[in-house]
Amino acid sequence: MERTDTAGYDPRARRLNRRIVVRAALDLVDADGLEALSMRRLGQALGRDPMALYRHAASRKELLAGVVELVLEEVEVFPDDGTSWEEQLRRMAHELRRVCLLHPNVVPVIVTGPLSTPLGLRPAGTLKPLEQVLGLLIDAGFTPADALHVYRAFYGFLYGHILNELQELIADPEENEALLRLGLQRLPLRDFPHLRRMAPELLEYNGEQELDQGMSILLSGLSQQFAPAAAI
Amino acid sequence: MERTDTAGYDPRARRLNRRIVVRAALDLVDADGLEALSMRRLGQALGRDPMALYRHAASRKELLAGVVELVLEEVEVFPDDGTSWEEQLRRMAHELRRVCLLHPNVVPVIVTGPLSTPLGLRPAGTLKPLEQVLGLLIDAGFTPADALHVYRAFYGFLYGHILNELQELIADPEENEALLRLGLQRLPLRDFPHLRRMAPELLEYNGEQELDQGMSILLSGLSQQFAPAAAI
DNA sequence: CCTGTAGATCTACAGTGTAGACAAGAAGCG
DNA sequence: CGCTTCTTGTCTACACTGTAGATCTACAGG
């Protein structure tokens, strides 16, 4: 009944541990959104006193950080196959997008959370992708400084795209169409002439394709702006 | 004393209105962060009962939306001068960055807020930039569909950059250096060989330059991927 | 003057994060 | 086994939060 078994573990089974708590928190956020994650509700989901959670997470913020880490662990990190650095970046982008779409409610925390957590102090899991990309680029012949620039452009664009995509397709497409047209109708024609004609294009949004296209743009710009010194 | 006059209006002076309330909310967020914005504190800042605010903002969420709108109004929108669309996009990017850096605490809401607010229903102020960019690109010879793609790539990258920049320079640079080095030291050398050598590069971050460089990359990719049909 | 109405206030409720004291239970060791 | 120690869970309590609903106040138009 209620919300006792959010996943597979039945409550009171055995002692809590951090994994279980964070996992349950993620389930709760996935199911009911960020605001639904309160210590009391989470305690209830686990069949424990809310205060029990504090043995495994220092605070709500810290718990959320754990949730982010857990989500990022879902990102599959592929070994360096032989393909070009461009193709590898492209694949990593799609992979991160995939995971983010599985946990849309967590995305705001992912992109916004590490604010005010200085880079050096972040959990190792969060830094792993950075290291990987740097290695990839340096191996491809970039100087360390350029690799850093490329990394920033890459992740900047990627995060930006994911945010945009989540904004674009919230409601189900059915009522989305009506809503969009109605919304556009509301705009004064003289102030928004172009936007009002965009309804068909706005409805045909395809996130994967859009990301791929964006990546093409970015990568083509990248390899034009920074030519890697040695292509082996 | 306390926090009665956050700006220039003294409390009890005359009747409240939405402008005053939202303005005070922005001041509060700028000064003490997002979490400091509560109806009670805001009421106190204005010398009124907290409940009075509900006559001018339907809820805390709606109040925050007003704050975002207010910030975005600070973005100066330049008329179409003769320069190329690339230069105009570049200038708009710098302008948005400038405003966001003036209100870093609001940025999470800016990039995250419009989630779950379907495009058609957003306040006109938020849609103005979209319309402007579309017009600019279409005038430059892009098809509407391509203009939309370019817009998405542009704003995706821009938002991503701003988020990244805010993450990079939170603390004051003085203690940032020590902290960064200490943080990097903590990482195991075998897992993070590149990152650990990056300290000097990481310390020389220049957001404006980084954005400009990123824009160059993006724009160069853009004009290579989509050739505007007619350059007039 | 009186009255209608919009604005401001008061009270109250359900919910929040979490500090601090305490109990129950597992684990180590003789 | 008993005894101690440390970890984990529970309970109570406090200072907050957003906001619904009723009530009071002040100003508008007649």
Side-chain angles (χ1 to χ4, degrees):
Chain A
M1 355 351 211
E2 305 192 280
R3 168 172 294 288
T4 43
D5 57 331
T6 49
Y9 39 77
D10 60 330
R12 331 207 128 269
R14 69 176 156 321
R15 305 161 66 128
L16 249 40
N17 63 45
R18 183 162 221 270
R19 267 200 91 66
I20 296 181
V21 171
V22 175
R23 173 92 240 159
L26 173 56
D27 288 347
L28 220 168
V29 172
D30 277 343
D32 298 341
L34 263 182
E35 331 209 303
L37 177 63
S38 80
M39 302 309 252
R40 286 164 166 82
R41 303 247 302 237
L42 184 54
Q44 188 174 340
L46 288 166
R48 300 295 157 84
D49 186 280
M51 280 296 129
L53 309 174
Y54 284 89
R55 299 284 170 192
H56 309 281
S59 68
R60 183 176 185 271
K61 280 179 102 123
E62 204 272 334
L63 181 62
L64 268 176
V67 169
V68 168
E69 211 177 344
L70 187 60
V71 168
L72 291 183
E73 274 172 23
E74 282 183 43
V75 178
E76 276 195 54
V77 29
F78 304 95
D80 185 336
D81 53 1
T83 59
S84 67
W85 59 273
E86 287 101 327
E87 280 322 301
Q88 295 199 53
L89 285 189
R90 191 188 294 271
R91 209 177 42 186
M92 292 173 58
H94 282 289
E95 175 63 9
L96 182 59
R97 168 179 177 270
R98 181 187 70 83
V99 172
C100 284
L101 290 191
L102 287 177
H103 307 279
N105 295 335
V106 187
V107 170
V109 196
I110 294 179
V111 303
T112 244
L115 292 179
S116 70
T117 308
L119 192 142
L121 299 183
R122 303 202 193 138
T126 317
L127 295 176
K128 202 78 188 115
L130 207 183
E131 173 66 21
Q132 195 194 7
V133 173
L134 289 181
L136 173 67
L137 293 171
I138 290 176
D139 286 353
F142 285 92
T143 71
D146 281 353
L148 192 56
H149 290 306
V150 173
Y151 166 83
R152 286 183 179 131
F154 173 71
Y155 264 93
F157 179 78
L158 181 51
Y159 274 23
H161 165 84
I162 290 172
L163 275 173
N164 276 353
E165 177 165 356
L166 286 182
Q167 300 190 20
E168 209 106 16
L169 39 63
I170 289 303
D172 55 320
E174 286 303 323
E175 74 172 324
N176 212 356
E177 166 151 2
L179 217 109
L180 177 64
R181 291 194 188 278
L182 234 67
L184 292 187
Q185 218 74 21
R186 178 204 52 145
L187 299 174
L189 181 56
R190 36 169 284 129
D191 291 334
F192 297 90
H194 303 105
L195 190 49
R196 288 197 40 174
R197 278 198 218 95
M198 280 291 188
E201 284 87 355
L202 283 170
L203 283 172
E204 275 174 28
Y205 184 82
N206 177 332
E208 180 172 358
Q209 180 185 316
E210 201 78 35
L211 173 61
D212 210 61
Q213 199 167 137
M215 272 327 236
S216 295
I217 293 169
L218 187 72
L219 292 172
S220 119
L222 274 174
S223 46
Q224 191 170 345
Q225 207 81 3
F226 303 88
I232 296 197
Chain B
M1 354 317 189
E2 307 191 280
R3 169 172 290 291
T4 44
D5 57 331
T6 48
Y9 39 77
D10 60 330
R12 329 209 129 267
R14 68 177 156 322
R15 303 160 68 125
L16 249 41
N17 62 45
R18 184 162 219 269
R19 266 199 94 66
I20 296 181
V21 171
V22 175
R23 173 93 241 159
L26 173 56
D27 289 346
L28 220 167
V29 172
D30 277 342
D32 298 340
L34 264 182
E35 332 209 302
L37 177 62
S38 79
M39 302 309 252
R40 287 165 165 78
R41 304 250 297 239
L42 185 53
Q44 188 174 338
L46 288 165
R48 300 296 157 84
D49 186 279
M51 280 296 128
L53 308 174
Y54 283 90
R55 299 281 164 190
H56 310 280
S59 68
R60 184 177 185 269
K61 281 179 100 122
E62 204 272 334
L63 181 62
L64 268 176
V67 169
V68 168
E69 212 176 343
L70 187 60
V71 169
L72 291 183
E73 274 172 24
E74 283 183 44
V75 178
E76 278 195 53
V77 29
F78 304 96
D80 184 337
D81 53 0
T83 59
S84 67
W85 59 273
E86 287 101 328
E87 280 323 301
Q88 295 198 54
L89 285 189
R90 191 189 293 271
R91 210 177 42 186
M92 292 173 58
H94 281 289
E95 174 63 10
L96 181 59
R97 168 179 176 271
R98 181 187 69 84
V99 172
C100 283
L101 290 191
L102 286 177
H103 307 280
N105 295 335
V106 187
V107 170
V109 196
I110 294 179
V111 302
T112 244
L115 292 179
S116 71
T117 307
L119 192 142
L121 298 183
R122 303 200 194 138
T126 317
L127 295 176
K128 201 81 187 114
L130 206 182
E131 173 66 22
Q132 195 193 7
V133 174
L134 288 181
L136 173 67
L137 293 172
I138 290 176
D139 287 354
F142 285 92
T143 70
D146 281 353
L148 192 57
H149 290 305
V150 173
Y151 166 83
R152 286 185 179 130
F154 173 71
Y155 264 93
F157 179 78
L158 181 50
Y159 275 22
H161 166 83
I162 290 172
L163 275 173
N164 275 354
E165 178 166 355
L166 286 182
Q167 301 189 19
E168 209 106 15
L169 38 64
I170 289 303
D172 55 321
E174 287 303 324
E175 74 170 325
N176 212 356
E177 167 151 2
L179 217 110
L180 178 62
R181 291 196 190 279
L182 234 68
L184 291 188
Q185 218 73 21
R186 179 204 50 146
L187 298 175
L189 182 56
R190 38 169 281 129
D191 291 333
F192 297 91
H194 302 104
L195 190 49
R196 287 198 42 173
R197 278 197 217 96
M198 279 291 189
E201 284 87 354
L202 283 170
L203 284 172
E204 275 175 27
Y205 184 82
N206 177 332
E208 180 172 359
Q209 180 185 316
E210 201 77 36
L211 173 61
D212 210 61
Q213 199 167 138
M215 273 326 239
S216 295
I217 294 169
L218 187 72
L219 292 172
S220 118
L222 273 174
S223 47
Q224 192 171 343
Q225 207 80 4
F226 302 89
I232 296 199

